[in-house]
Amino acid sequence: MKDSTNAKRPQARRRYDEEFKASVMRMIESGQSVPEISQSLGLGESLLYGWKQELKPVVEREQDEEKAALLRRIKQLELERDILKKALGIFSRGT
């Protein structure tokens, strides 16, 4: 009779939510190495590299959106600066 405690059962696949994956990606983007993160979280390096490839388009899209928002803000600030320069010129003429 076999001892059931020694029998190897296939390990159930753990699922990770998108928020957890995104936090791991932020760790990678902040400069931490994949092997370092893998060891600290007890996850396989290949899993993290897979997430990195999977989430790359999402991260790039978010960066593109952020870049576009920053460019819009720069244009707005430049417009406000130009208006203030003109106003200063008008009020500096003296009446």
Side-chain angles (χ1 to χ4, degrees), residues 39-87:
Q39 186 176 13
S40 69
L41 297 176
L43 301 171
E45 288 181 35
S46 61
L47 178 65
L48 299 185
Y49 283 118
W51 290 353
K52 188 175 177 182
Q53 283 301 111
E54 175 187 321
L55 297 175
K56 188 176 182 179
V58 173
V59 171
E60 287 176 354
R61 186 177 63 241
E62 289 173 353
Q63 290 173 344
D64 288 345
E65 290 170 358
E66 182 179 2
K67 182 180 176 182
L70 290 171
L71 289 173
R72 284 191 301 272
R73 181 69 177 139
I74 288 170
K75 287 182 187 266
Q76 179 67 30
L77 291 171
E78 287 174 341
L79 179 63
E80 290 174 10
R81 180 201 61 201
D82 292 344
I83 291 170
L84 290 172
K85 278 184 179 180
K86 288 178 184 177

Side-chain angles (χ1 to χ4, degrees), residues 14 16-17 19-28 32-45 47-49 51:
R14 292 170 46 188
Y16 301 95
D17 63 8
E19 185 177 329
F20 179 76
K21 291 178 183 180
S23 68
V24 171
M25 290 303 102
R26 284 191 294 275
M27 293 169 77
I28 292 171
Q32 288 184 277
S33 70
V34 170
E36 188 179 303
I37 297 167
S38 170
Q39 186 176 13
S40 69
L41 297 176
L43 301 171
E45 288 181 35
L47 178 65
L48 299 185
Y49 283 118
W51 290 353

